[in-house]
Amino acid sequence: MHRFSPAMDALIEALRCLPGVGPKSAQRMALHLLERNREGAATLSRSLADAVERVGRCQQCRNLAEAVLCGICADTRRDASLLCIVETPGDILAIEQAGGYRGRYFVLMGHLSPIDGIGPEEIGLPLLEALARDGEVQEVILATNPTVEGEATAYYITRMLEPLIPRMSRIAHGVPLGGELEYVDGSTLAHAFSGRQPVPGS
Amino acid sequence: MHRFSPAMDALIEALRCLPGVGPKSAQRMALHLLERNREGAATLSRSLADAVERVGRCQQCRNLAEAVLCGICADTRRDASLLCIVETPGDILAIEQAGGYRGRYFVLMGHLSPIDGIGPEEIGLPLLEALARDGEVQEVILATNPTVEGEATAYYITRMLEPLIPRMSRIAHGVPLGGELEYVDGSTLAHAFSGRQPVPGS
Ligand SMILES: [Zn+2]
Ligand SMILES: [Zn+2]
């Protein structure tokens, strides 16, 4: 079967490391770059090399960082007594974009998944425990995903930190604001019912 | 608004040069690469640089090539009396994968589109005319896409080559109207080739 050329074929294969990119889209992407946007391709090549070289993990919260501390941990205006535990750096971005939270984060970079060999060590829990023992953190907000694994991870962390942290909470899960009940999936609805809050004044 | 870090933000921006990749998928891709597949990211960086450096155009047919001639033009077993005119290198791949065609190609790298400033020069028609004047090509198969622009381009080329080429045909049966050749399955394409029709007036 005819392919394009060695360098094109290698590029198409390499593009498949991107999530959600199959053989057909990889081919479409490679052709687009080579036919129409060589400057973009060169920039992307440099950006990838730069990011791989420069981006590591924050030594305090495991967030992606280009220095010992990430931008949030290095920001002294953030409230160090408040710690929000999330699964990924993308979750931090979502929370920051929502606004209103002024504490710090701890990034698990995943969740407990014994079947995949991901235990407490792999998601940085020894580092989290050491941080909690420092005594600066007074409140922990568990913001892992409302999935089976996210819930199990939140439960495990709650048990681990209970002796060390005065206040711990789990973010509320339920029907999204502006969402229509009719279009919300069943497990979210079940969650919204079991987590119902008393109406003020009722 | 908080972003990730300078190198991450640059990577997310650079990923948007890929077709069909918006801000959300670019962010998901960057996080996936940095968190889970740094080796893949490094390989992709090198493959992009390699392809940009090595891949040029075939001087005979305008196909993507890493030498003066592409693999097909350099292959002396291909029938040089038969020339199939396509819009992109992806079309060549689709036709080769369908099998059965043993002639050569000419790649327009687009189609006539006066509104975008794409005229005969931009799609290599002077080179195509010179090739036709050589006298080796006895039959031309017009395999531009069955879109308004593809049809107009095929019509223009037919008028241009009429005095030079004894037989000209347009692929027709099986290719869905408004569809793109690159995404048509192999047997449909093979059918379209065997059922090609003489161009009226040629
Ligand atoms: Zn940090
Ligand atoms: Zn060629």
Coordinates of all heavy atoms in Angstrom, one line a residue, chain B residues 23-80:
Chain B
P23 N -10.0 25.9 21.6 CA -9.3 26.1 22.9 C -9.4 25.0 23.9 O -8.5 24.6 24.5 CB -10.0 27.4 23.4 CG -10.9 27.9 22.4 CD -11.1 26.9 21.3
K24 N -10.7 24.4 24.0 CA -10.9 23.3 24.9 C -10.1 22.1 24.6 O -9.5 21.4 25.5 CB -12.4 23.0 25.0 CG -13.1 23.8 26.1 CD -12.9 23.3 27.5 CE -13.4 24.3 28.5 NZ -12.9 24.0 29.9
S25 N -10.1 21.6 23.3 CA -9.4 20.4 23.0 C -7.9 20.7 23.0 O -7.1 19.8 23.4 CB -9.7 19.8 21.6 OG -10.7 20.5 21.0
A26 N -7.4 21.9 22.7 CA -6.0 22.2 22.8 C -5.5 22.1 24.2 O -4.4 21.5 24.5 CB -5.7 23.6 22.3
Q27 N -6.3 22.6 25.2 CA -6.0 22.4 26.6 C -5.9 21.0 27.0 O -5.0 20.5 27.7 CB -7.0 23.2 27.4 CG -6.8 23.2 28.9 CD -7.9 23.9 29.6 OE1 -8.3 25.0 29.2 NE2 -8.5 23.3 30.6
R28 N -6.9 20.2 26.6 CA -7.0 18.8 26.9 C -5.7 18.0 26.4 O -5.1 17.2 27.0 CB -8.3 18.2 26.4 CG -8.6 16.8 26.9 CD -10.1 16.5 26.5 NE -10.4 16.6 25.1 CZ -10.3 15.6 24.2 NH1 -9.9 14.4 24.6 NH2 -10.5 15.9 22.9
M29 N -5.4 18.4 25.1 CA -4.2 17.8 24.5 C -2.9 18.1 25.2 O -2.1 17.2 25.5 CB -4.1 18.2 23.0 CG -5.1 17.6 22.1 SD -5.0 18.3 20.4 CE -6.1 17.2 19.5
A30 N -2.8 19.4 25.6 CA -1.5 19.8 26.2 C -1.4 19.1 27.6 O -0.3 18.6 27.9 CB -1.5 21.3 26.4
L31 N -2.5 19.1 28.3 CA -2.5 18.4 29.7 C -2.2 16.9 29.5 O -1.3 16.4 30.2 CB -3.8 18.6 30.4 CG -4.0 20.0 30.9 CD1 -5.5 20.2 31.5 CD2 -3.0 20.4 32.0
H32 N -2.8 16.3 28.5 CA -2.6 14.9 28.3 C -1.1 14.6 28.0 O -0.5 13.7 28.6 CB -3.4 14.4 27.1 CG -3.2 13.0 26.7 ND1 -3.8 11.9 27.3 CD2 -2.3 12.4 25.9 CE1 -3.4 10.8 26.8 NE2 -2.4 11.1 25.9
L33 N -0.5 15.4 27.1 CA 0.9 15.2 26.7 C 1.8 15.4 27.9 O 2.7 14.6 28.2 CB 1.3 16.1 25.6 CG 0.6 15.9 24.2 CD1 1.0 17.0 23.3 CD2 1.1 14.5 23.7
L34 N 1.6 16.5 28.7 CA 2.5 16.8 29.7 C 2.4 15.9 31.0 O 3.3 15.6 31.6 CB 2.4 18.3 30.2 CG 3.2 19.3 29.5 CD1 4.7 19.1 29.8 CD2 3.1 19.2 28.0
E35 N 1.1 15.4 31.2 CA 0.9 14.6 32.4 C 1.2 13.1 32.0 O 1.6 12.4 32.9 CB -0.6 14.7 32.8 CG -0.9 16.0 33.5 CD -2.4 16.1 33.7 OE1 -3.1 15.1 33.8 OE2 -2.9 17.2 33.7
R36 N 0.9 12.7 30.8 CA 0.9 11.3 30.5 C 1.7 10.8 29.4 O 2.0 9.6 29.3 CB -0.5 10.8 30.3 CG -1.4 10.8 31.5 CD -2.8 10.3 31.3 NE -3.7 11.1 32.1 CZ -5.0 11.1 31.9 NH1 -5.5 10.3 31.0 NH2 -5.8 11.9 32.6
N37 N 2.2 11.7 28.5 CA 2.9 11.1 27.4 C 4.0 12.1 26.9 O 3.9 12.6 25.8 CB 1.9 10.8 26.2 CG 2.6 9.9 25.2 OD1 3.8 9.6 25.2 ND2 1.8 9.5 24.2
R38 N 5.0 12.4 27.7 CA 6.0 13.3 27.4 C 6.9 12.7 26.3 O 7.4 13.5 25.5 CB 6.9 13.6 28.6 CG 6.2 14.6 29.6 CD 6.9 14.6 30.9 NE 6.2 15.6 31.7 CZ 6.7 16.9 31.9 NH1 7.8 17.2 31.4 NH2 6.0 17.7 32.6
E39 N 7.1 11.4 26.2 CA 7.8 10.8 25.2 C 7.1 11.0 23.8 O 7.8 11.4 22.8 CB 8.0 9.3 25.4 CG 9.2 8.7 24.8 CD 9.4 7.3 25.3 OE1 9.3 7.0 26.5 OE2 9.6 6.4 24.4
G40 N 5.8 10.9 23.8 CA 5.0 11.1 22.6 C 5.1 12.6 22.2 O 5.3 12.9 21.0
A41 N 5.1 13.5 23.2 CA 5.2 14.9 22.8 C 6.6 15.2 22.2 O 6.7 16.0 21.2 CB 5.0 15.7 24.1
A42 N 7.7 14.6 22.8 CA 9.0 14.8 22.2 C 9.1 14.3 20.8 O 9.7 14.9 19.9 CB 10.1 14.2 23.1
T43 N 8.5 13.1 20.6 CA 8.6 12.5 19.3 C 7.8 13.3 18.3 O 8.2 13.6 17.1 CB 7.9 11.1 19.3 OG1 8.7 10.3 20.2 CG2 7.9 10.4 17.9
L44 N 6.6 13.8 18.7 CA 5.8 14.7 17.8 C 6.6 16.0 17.5 O 6.6 16.4 16.3 CB 4.5 15.0 18.5 CG 3.5 15.9 17.7 CD1 3.2 15.4 16.3 CD2 2.2 16.1 18.5
S45 N 7.3 16.5 18.4 CA 8.1 17.7 18.2 C 9.1 17.5 17.1 O 9.2 18.3 16.1 CB 8.7 18.2 19.5 OG 9.7 19.2 19.2
R46 N 9.8 16.4 17.2 CA 10.9 16.0 16.2 C 10.2 15.7 14.9 O 10.7 16.1 13.8 CB 11.7 14.8 16.7 CG 12.7 15.2 17.8 CD 13.7 14.0 18.0 NE 13.0 12.8 18.4 CZ 12.7 12.5 19.7 NH1 13.0 13.3 20.7 NH2 12.0 11.4 20.0
S47 N 9.1 15.0 14.9 CA 8.5 14.6 13.6 C 8.0 15.9 12.8 O 8.1 15.9 11.6 CB 7.3 13.7 13.8 OG 7.7 12.6 14.6
L48 N 7.5 16.8 13.6 CA 7.0 18.1 12.9 C 8.2 18.8 12.3 O 8.1 19.2 11.1 CB 6.3 19.0 14.0 CG 4.9 18.6 14.4 CD1 4.5 19.3 15.7 CD2 3.9 19.0 13.3
A49 N 9.3 19.0 13.1 CA 10.5 19.7 12.6 C 11.0 18.9 11.3 O 11.3 19.6 10.3 CB 11.5 19.8 13.6
D50 N 11.1 17.6 11.4 CA 11.6 16.8 10.3 C 10.8 17.0 9.0 O 11.3 17.2 8.0 CB 11.5 15.3 10.6 CG 12.8 14.8 11.3 OD1 13.6 15.6 11.6 OD2 12.9 13.6 11.5
A51 N 9.4 16.9 9.2 CA 8.5 17.0 8.1 C 8.6 18.4 7.4 O 8.7 18.5 6.2 CB 7.1 16.7 8.5
V52 N 8.6 19.4 8.3 CA 8.7 20.8 7.7 C 10.0 20.9 6.9 O 10.1 21.6 5.9 CB 8.6 21.8 8.8 CG1 9.0 23.2 8.3 CG2 7.2 21.9 9.4
E53 N 11.1 20.3 7.4 CA 12.4 20.5 6.8 C 12.5 19.7 5.5 O 13.1 20.1 4.5 CB 13.5 20.1 7.8 CG 14.9 20.4 7.3 CD 16.0 19.7 8.1 OE1 15.8 19.7 9.4 OE2 16.9 19.2 7.5
R54 N 12.0 18.4 5.6 CA 12.3 17.5 4.5 C 11.2 17.4 3.4 O 11.5 17.1 2.2 CB 12.4 16.1 5.0 CG 13.6 15.9 5.9 CD 13.8 14.4 6.3 NE 14.7 14.3 7.4 CZ 14.9 13.2 8.1 NH1 14.2 12.1 7.8 NH2 15.7 13.2 9.1
V55 N 10.0 17.7 3.7 CA 8.9 17.5 2.8 C 8.7 18.7 1.9 O 8.4 19.8 2.4 CB 7.6 17.1 3.5 CG1 6.5 16.9 2.4 CG2 7.8 15.8 4.3
G56 N 8.9 18.5 0.6 CA 8.7 19.6 -0.4 C 7.7 19.1 -1.4 O 6.8 18.3 -1.1
R57 N 7.8 19.6 -2.6 CA 6.8 19.2 -3.6 C 7.6 18.5 -4.8 O 8.7 18.9 -5.2 CB 6.1 20.4 -4.2 CG 5.1 20.9 -3.2 CD 4.1 21.9 -3.9 NE 3.2 22.4 -2.9 CZ 2.3 23.4 -3.2 NH1 2.2 23.8 -4.5 NH2 1.5 23.8 -2.3
C58 N 6.9 17.5 -5.4 CA 7.5 16.8 -6.5 C 7.5 17.8 -7.7 O 6.5 18.6 -7.9 CB 6.6 15.7 -6.9 SG 7.0 14.9 -8.5
Q59 N 8.6 17.9 -8.4 CA 8.8 18.9 -9.5 C 8.0 18.6 -10.7 O 7.9 19.3 -11.6 CB 10.2 19.2 -9.8 CG 10.9 19.9 -8.6 CD 12.3 20.4 -9.0 OE1 12.7 20.3 -10.2 NE2 13.0 20.9 -8.0
Q60 N 7.5 17.3 -10.7 CA 6.7 16.9 -11.9 C 5.2 17.0 -11.7 O 4.5 17.3 -12.5 CB 7.1 15.5 -12.3 CG 6.4 15.0 -13.6 CD 7.1 13.7 -14.1 OE1 8.3 13.8 -14.6 NE2 6.5 12.6 -14.0
C61 N 4.8 16.6 -10.5 CA 3.3 16.4 -10.2 C 2.8 17.2 -9.1 O 1.6 17.2 -8.7 CB 3.0 15.0 -10.1 SG 3.4 14.3 -8.4
R62 N 3.7 18.0 -8.3 CA 3.3 18.8 -7.2 C 2.9 18.0 -6.0 O 2.5 18.6 -5.0 CB 2.2 19.8 -7.6 CG 2.8 20.9 -8.4 CD 1.7 21.7 -9.0 NE 0.7 22.3 -8.1 CZ 0.7 23.5 -7.6 NH1 1.7 24.3 -8.0 NH2 -0.2 24.0 -6.8
N63 N 3.0 16.7 -6.0 CA 2.7 15.8 -4.8 C 3.7 16.1 -3.7 O 4.8 16.6 -4.0 CB 2.8 14.4 -5.2 CG 2.2 13.4 -4.1 OD1 1.6 13.9 -3.2 ND2 2.5 12.2 -4.3
L64 N 3.4 15.9 -2.5 CA 4.4 16.0 -1.4 C 5.5 15.0 -1.7 O 5.3 13.9 -2.1 CB 3.8 15.7 -0.1 CG 2.7 16.7 0.4 CD1 2.0 16.2 1.6 CD2 3.3 18.1 0.6
A65 N 6.8 15.4 -1.5 CA 7.9 14.6 -1.9 C 9.1 15.0 -1.0 O 9.2 16.2 -0.6 CB 8.2 14.7 -3.3
E66 N 10.0 14.0 -0.8 CA 11.2 14.3 0.0 C 12.4 14.4 -1.0 O 13.6 14.4 -0.5 CB 11.4 13.3 1.1 CG 10.4 13.5 2.2 CD 10.4 12.5 3.3 OE1 11.5 12.1 3.7 OE2 9.3 12.0 3.7
A67 N 12.2 14.3 -2.3 CA 13.3 14.3 -3.3 C 12.7 15.2 -4.4 O 11.6 15.7 -4.4 CB 13.6 12.9 -3.7
V68 N 13.5 15.3 -5.5 CA 13.0 16.0 -6.7 C 11.7 15.5 -7.2 O 10.8 16.2 -7.5 CB 14.1 16.0 -7.8 CG1 13.6 16.7 -9.1 CG2 15.3 16.8 -7.3
L69 N 11.6 14.1 -7.3 CA 10.4 13.5 -7.7 C 9.8 12.7 -6.5 O 10.5 12.2 -5.7 CB 10.7 12.5 -8.8 CG 11.2 13.0 -10.2 CD1 11.3 11.9 -11.2 CD2 10.2 14.1 -10.7
C70 N 8.4 12.6 -6.5 CA 7.8 11.8 -5.5 C 7.9 10.4 -5.9 O 8.4 10.0 -7.0 CB 6.3 12.2 -5.5 SG 5.3 11.6 -6.9
G71 N 7.5 9.5 -4.9 CA 7.7 8.1 -5.1 C 7.0 7.6 -6.4 O 7.4 6.7 -7.1
I72 N 5.8 8.1 -6.7 CA 5.0 7.7 -7.8 C 5.7 8.1 -9.2 O 5.8 7.3 -10.1 CB 3.6 8.1 -7.7 CG1 2.9 7.5 -6.5 CG2 2.8 7.8 -9.0 CD1 1.5 7.9 -6.2
C73 N 6.1 9.4 -9.3 CA 6.7 9.8 -10.5 C 8.1 9.1 -10.7 O 8.5 8.9 -11.8 CB 6.9 11.3 -10.4 SG 5.4 12.3 -10.6
A74 N 8.7 8.7 -9.6 CA 10.0 8.1 -9.7 C 9.9 6.6 -10.1 O 10.9 6.0 -10.5 CB 10.8 8.2 -8.4
D75 N 8.7 6.1 -10.0 CA 8.4 4.6 -10.2 C 8.2 4.4 -11.7 O 7.2 4.7 -12.2 CB 7.2 4.2 -9.4 CG 6.9 2.7 -9.5 OD1 7.6 2.0 -10.3 OD2 6.1 2.2 -8.7
T76 N 9.2 3.8 -12.3 CA 9.1 3.6 -13.8 C 8.1 2.5 -14.2 O 7.8 2.4 -15.4 CB 10.5 3.2 -14.4 OG1 11.0 2.0 -13.6 CG2 11.5 4.3 -14.2
R77 N 7.6 1.8 -13.2 CA 6.5 0.8 -13.6 C 5.2 1.4 -13.7 O 4.2 0.8 -14.2 CB 6.5 -0.3 -12.5 CG 7.7 -1.2 -12.4 CD 7.8 -1.9 -11.1 NE 7.7 -1.0 -10.0 CZ 7.6 -1.4 -8.7 NH1 7.6 -2.6 -8.4 NH2 7.6 -0.4 -7.8
R78 N 5.0 2.7 -13.3 CA 3.7 3.3 -13.5 C 3.5 3.7 -14.9 O 4.5 4.1 -15.6 CB 3.6 4.6 -12.6 CG 4.0 4.4 -11.1 CD 2.9 3.8 -10.3 NE 1.6 4.4 -10.3 CZ 0.7 4.3 -9.3 NH1 1.0 3.7 -8.2 NH2 -0.5 4.9 -9.4
D79 N 2.3 3.7 -15.4 CA 2.0 4.0 -16.8 C 2.0 5.6 -17.0 O 1.1 6.3 -16.5 CB 0.6 3.5 -17.1 CG 0.2 3.7 -18.5 OD1 0.9 4.4 -19.3 OD2 -0.9 3.1 -19.0
A80 N 3.0 6.0 -17.7 CA 3.2 7.5 -17.9 C 2.2 8.1 -18.9 O 2.1 9.3 -19.1 CB 4.6 7.8 -18.2

